[in-house]
Amino acid sequence: MPFLLGALAFFIAEIAAFVAVGSQIGFGWDVLLLIGASLLGPFVVKRVGLAVLGRTRDRLARGEVPTREVLDGVVVLAGGLMIMVPGFISDALGLLLMIGPVRHLLIRAFGLRFGRRIQTMRTGRWTVIDIPSRDGAAAASPAAPPPPRELW
């Protein structure tokens, strides 16, 4: 239910932004600006995405794991989807995600948030990663960690 309320609020904000911009520049220019941003967006996403792909290939060629580049790619994909959705707010947010420092700040913020929830254990040659659900995290006692789950 909270997702639907958030989506409805976002939809109302997009309409309000469309009306506000249209009252300043006129309805025709408003529609042209929306169409132009939606058509120009994929080119920006392609350029940024190819740069991320190039860095991924470089890391793989050196034998390194391209963790940062994969996360960059996911954020670029999310930004690209936001740009392709008609609306000034989604276009602005999508274009913000195409800026490297903004992307890295977002990745770092979510990484710290999820990093607190992850528990890892070494068992011989395997590393077990456990991310408890929110219900399980609330029920688990801080003194005794939950038993590891089987991978297979």
Side-chain angles (χ1 to χ4, degrees):
M1 190 65 159
F3 175 76
L4 291 177
L5 290 176
L8 181 64
F10 188 75
F11 182 68
I12 291 171
E14 285 283 12
I15 292 173
F18 182 78
V19 169
V21 171
S23 69
Q24 294 296 315
I25 64 173
F27 179 75
W29 288 109
D30 196 17
V31 171
L32 270 170
L33 189 60
L34 262 181
I35 292 171
S38 292
L39 291 176
L40 193 64
F43 295 108
V44 173
V45 172
K46 180 180 176 183
R47 182 180 174 107
V48 174
L50 287 175
V52 169
L53 183 62
R55 288 194 307 272
T56 303
R57 287 182 180 164
D58 292 343
R59 296 265 322 250
L60 286 172
R62 291 191 307 255
E64 299 172 1
V65 178
T67 307
R68 167 75 73 167
E69 288 76 13
V70 169
L71 294 173
D72 266 353
V74 169
V75 175
V76 166
L77 177 66
L81 291 174
M82 292 179 84
I83 290 172
M84 289 180 204
V85 171
F88 291 115
I89 296 172
S90 61
D91 286 348
L93 291 174
L95 287 173
L96 271 174
L97 292 179
M98 297 300 122
I99 301 171
V102 173
R103 247 189 349 260
H104 297 154
L105 181 68
L106 185 72
I107 289 169
R108 181 169 294 159
F110 277 107
L112 290 174
R113 181 175 177 203
F114 290 127
R116 286 188 216 115
R117 294 184 55 213
I118 295 176
Q119 299 174 1
T120 59
M121 279 192 326
R122 248 2 228 144
T123 58
R125 61 180 215 193
W126 298 96
T127 299
V128 178
I129 300 174
D130 184 28
I131 304 173
S133 66
R134 291 183 184 214
D135 296 336
S141 148
R149 294 186 226 166
E150 293 290 326
L151 288 177
W152 308 105

